[in-house]
């Protein structure tokens, strides 16, 4: 068994990448299982996990898969006065129907992914609250039509930190069922607890739901197997050496839409890619080591894709919400 290396550097090392890659495969895997695969002690995994949470912004949560559930998803571009953008972003982040919020364009644009659970939620946001919000100058709404990469597919897996054998040993053993699936009202207490902490133990889930531990275990296993939900992780991509992130608004020839999207899914820096409505027909997020690396990607692999006609790039200034909202300073 390997021992944990000690260093005076506050940075993260290859073992941290391996641990994060393991959690990207199965965020609820026990420390003992992860330790056995990585060849370190349980205590090392627990210690590294706590440090990643404290210093790397790591969070593990259970997410609903809107694509699998047949629910609408929208990407909003909200242009507003610079002094009002942070407050508007924070207000959007607190809404339960938003899954991602960021600031971009020099602080004059709020980018927001919303998943309305009813037509009323959608109308309330796009026809009610946002248009009446002072300092909102323009709203562009893009409905996501098809996902090429994202959801249960984590960008962390593209780092290649694990061997094929390690990946297979850590991969969950359930397989998604075909067709759309349903989440019932009885599932809401269980999901609420797991959206706060995806690694919550079964005694905690029992207290949150009133189910027995075995019933909570069975229902969560069924939801994961169906694809209705998945375990996702959030961390600062800067700890992987990719501190620059941007949203790409890509216009592809209609006949090349699918081939361009599938090619994007295979690019190492792409964390999410979907076909969308609006002036562009593909929206993708990309991570880069620096601005030179971003330029190299835009002018190289992306720019040389057959069928790409136009690319608009929006660099993020700050993420306000990713996965679930967390109050500043917590």
């Amino acid at each position: 068994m390997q021992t944990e290396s000690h260093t005076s550097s506050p940075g993260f090392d290859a073992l941290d990448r391996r641990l994060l890659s393991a959690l990207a495969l199965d965020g609820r895997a026990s420390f003992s299982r992860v330790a056995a695969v990585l060849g370190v002690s349980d205590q090392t995994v627990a210690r590294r996990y706590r440090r990643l949470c404290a210093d790397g912004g790591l969070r593990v949560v259970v997410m609903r898969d809107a694509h699998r559930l047949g629910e609408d998803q929208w990407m909003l571009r909200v242009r507003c006065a610079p002094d009002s953008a942070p407050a508007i972003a924070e207000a959007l982040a607190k809404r339960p129907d938003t899954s991602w919020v960021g600031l971009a364009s020099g602080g004059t644009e709020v980018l927001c992914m919303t998943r309305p659970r009813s037509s009323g939620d959608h109308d309330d946001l796009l026809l009610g609250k946002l248009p009446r919000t002072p300092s909102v100058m323009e709203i562009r709404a893009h409905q996501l039509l098809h996902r090429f990469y994202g959801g249960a597919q984590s960008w962390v897996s593209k780092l290649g930190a694990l061997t094929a054998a390690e990946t297979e040993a850590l991969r969950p053993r359930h397989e998604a069922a075909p067709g759309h699936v349903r989440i019932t009202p009885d599932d809401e207490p269980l999901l609420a607890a797991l959206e706060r902490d995806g690694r919550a133990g079964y005694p905690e889930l029992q207290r949150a739901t009133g189910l027995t531990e075995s019933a909570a275990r069975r229902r969560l296993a069924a939801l994961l197997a169906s694809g209705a939900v998945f375990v996702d992780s959030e961390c600062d991509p800067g700890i992987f050496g990719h501190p620059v992130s941007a949203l790409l608004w890509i216009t592809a020839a209609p006949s090349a839409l699918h081939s361009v999207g599938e090619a994007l899914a295979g690019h190492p820096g792409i964390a999410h890619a979907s076909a969308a409505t609006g002036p562009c027909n593909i929206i993708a997020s990309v991570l880069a080591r620096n601005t030179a690396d971003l330029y190299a990607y835009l002018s190289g692999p992306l720019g040389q894709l057959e069928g790409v006609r136009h690319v608009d790039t929006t660099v993020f200034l700050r993420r306000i919400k990713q996965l679930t909202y967390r109050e500043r300073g917590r």
Side-chain angles (χ1 to χ4, degrees):
M1 178 177 290
Q2 299 175 6
T3 59
E4 182 181 10
S5 60
H6 294 274
T7 174
S8 59
S9 171
F12 298 93
D13 59 18
L15 179 56
D16 294 307
R17 291 190 178 206
R18 284 161 55 75
L19 173 55
L20 285 166
S21 297
L23 293 173
L25 285 168
D26 186 357
R28 287 186 59 83
S30 66
F31 288 158
S32 59
R33 181 178 167 216
V34 173
V37 173
L38 299 186
V40 297
S41 70
D42 297 10
Q43 293 81 3
T44 292
V45 170
R47 184 162 51 247
R48 293 292 185 117
Y49 176 82
R50 288 193 296 268
R51 188 167 74 101
L52 284 164
C53 291
D55 301 333
L58 173 63
R59 299 178 70 209
V60 178
V61 299
V62 168
M63 297 288 291
R64 304 164 197 253
D65 192 329
H67 177 72
R68 289 281 298 161
L69 291 167
E71 297 175 350
D72 289 343
Q73 284 184 289
W74 294 77
M75 175 65 76
L76 308 182
R77 301 184 70 173
V78 183
R79 190 165 60 89
C80 46
D83 59 348
S84 64
I88 291 172
E90 289 285 347
L92 285 169
K94 292 178 181 178
R95 290 181 60 98
D97 55 353
T98 61
S99 58
W100 187 94
V101 181
L103 285 175
S105 303
T108 62
E109 188 172 34
V110 177
L111 304 175
C112 171
M113 180 81 77
T114 178
R115 297 181 301 177
R117 297 180 186 177
S118 69
S119 58
D121 287 344
H122 179 264
D123 292 348
D124 174 62
L125 183 60
L126 292 183
L127 303 179
K129 285 187 169 55
L130 273 177
R132 294 198 300 267
T133 301
S135 302
V136 168
M137 303 167 67
E138 182 184 30
I139 305 168
R140 295 184 183 181
H142 306 258
Q143 186 173 9
L144 304 189
L145 303 176
H146 176 80
R147 184 173 65 208
F148 298 109
Y149 192 84
Q153 298 170 301
S154 172
W155 172 80
V156 176
S157 65
K158 294 184 176 183
L159 294 173
L162 300 176
T163 66
E166 290 168 340
T167 298
E168 183 60 27
L170 287 163
R171 194 184 305 278
R173 299 307 173 194
H174 54 72
E175 295 184 0
H180 291 311
V181 291
R182 293 175 62 88
I183 292 174
T184 71
D186 290 341
D187 293 322
E188 292 302 331
L190 176 66
L191 293 181
L194 290 165
E195 286 168 352
R196 291 191 298 270
D197 178 8
R199 292 185 60 83
Y202 291 104
E204 182 179 345
L205 296 180
Q206 179 185 29
R207 291 191 295 271
T209 64
L211 299 171
T212 64
E213 290 186 30
S214 59
R217 186 189 302 271
R218 287 195 301 270
R219 186 53 184 162
L220 176 56
L223 288 170
L224 290 169
S226 73
V229 302
F230 59 93
V231 186
D232 204 353
S233 58
E234 169 194 80
C235 63
D236 178 4
I239 71 176
F240 297 112
H242 289 69
V244 176
S245 56
L247 210 61
L248 307 177
W249 312 87
I250 302 168
T251 303
S255 60
L257 175 60
H258 192 74
S259 62
V260 169
E262 290 292 309
L264 286 170
H267 288 180
I270 294 296
H272 175 270
S274 289
T277 62
C280 65
N281 50 16
I282 296 177
I283 299 174
S285 60
V286 62
L287 300 171
R289 294 178 179 85
N290 47 47
T291 52
D293 188 36
L294 177 59
Y295 171 77
Y297 175 69
L298 295 175
S299 60
L302 178 58
Q304 294 168 15
L305 272 182
E306 185 176 354
V308 172
R309 292 178 173 176
H310 180 76
V311 179
D312 180 15
T313 305
T314 305
V315 177
F316 297 126
L317 294 179
R318 187 169 81 239
R319 288 178 176 84
I320 305 299
K321 179 180 184 178
Q322 185 171 325
L323 303 185
T324 54
Y325 182 66
R326 176 166 50 181
E327 295 285 353
R328 294 289 165 192
R330 292 182 59 185

